[in-house]
Amino acid sequence: MGFPDRIERTLELGHPPAKVWRALTTAEGLGTWFGQNATIDLQTGGNAVLTWENGDKVELRIERLEEPAVFGYTWHIYGLPEDDPRRTYVEFTLEPTDAGTRLTVVESGFAQLPEDEYAKAFGGNTQGWELELGELVEYLNAA
């Protein structure tokens, strides 16, 4: 394919890894910065469900869980029909730093899409991560 397969963002956070981990892996955290409500079965193979006030809902399947360093899941690709089995993989990696935590977020798997579906999914998620990671920073700073 002639287009990027992944979205990658790195944040330098002035909070300890344990606090960032809780924001990423608890219903309270996810339901505050990454939706308006969340449930999570925090184990490999477990599911999380995020809902928004507008009725939107997304389901995550936890694929990788290495507390407190790696949290990875698959989820439905934006713009595809609900019954489409294709998924992208999202992985959060936390590294302790002198100032707090370096958080890297990588979403991959976009290359499996044809060009028209790719443009919608990649563009939508690129903008989405910008917004959601900004809300994560606000949530951490307020807590």
Side-chain angles (χ1 to χ4, degrees):
M1 294 259 158
F3 40 77
D5 183 53
R6 60 195 266 148
I7 299 166
E8 183 170 343
R9 299 287 179 265
T10 300
L11 302 173
E12 299 292 337
L13 304 168
H15 303 281
K19 182 176 181 179
V20 177
W21 182 261
R22 285 190 304 274
L24 298 173
T25 62
T26 65
E28 177 189 336
L30 287 171
T32 303
W33 72 270
F34 202 17
Q36 272 76 53
N37 191 26
T39 60
I40 186 166
D41 176 16
L42 190 60
Q43 62 178 327
T44 303
N47 292 312
V49 178
L50 307 173
T51 56
W52 284 262
E53 292 172 354
N54 67 2
D56 286 349
K57 174 178 133 178
V58 66
E59 295 183 30
L60 318 174
R61 177 178 157 72
I62 300 169
E63 304 290 347
R64 189 167 175 203
L65 190 62
E66 298 174 18
E67 185 176 351
V70 182
F71 176 56
Y73 58 83
T74 53
W75 65 347
H76 181 262
I77 300 174
Y78 175 73
L80 297 184
E82 285 301 315
D83 62 349
D84 192 299
R86 292 174 288 182
R87 301 285 183 264
T88 55
Y89 176 69
V90 176
E91 187 169 276
F92 294 88
T93 304
L94 292 76
E95 299 173 63
T97 65
D98 290 341
T101 305
R102 177 175 299 113
L103 176 65
T104 302
V105 183
V106 176
E107 182 175 10
S108 59
F110 294 97
Q112 66 185 305
L113 301 173
E115 191 169 348
D116 58 331
E117 292 172 342
Y118 168 85
K120 184 173 185 177
F122 191 83
N125 285 27
T126 298
Q127 290 178 333
W129 282 119
E130 232 174 87
L131 174 69
E132 297 299 345
L133 292 175
E135 290 182 7
L136 172 63
V137 169
E138 289 175 16
Y139 171 75
L140 290 167
N141 290 343

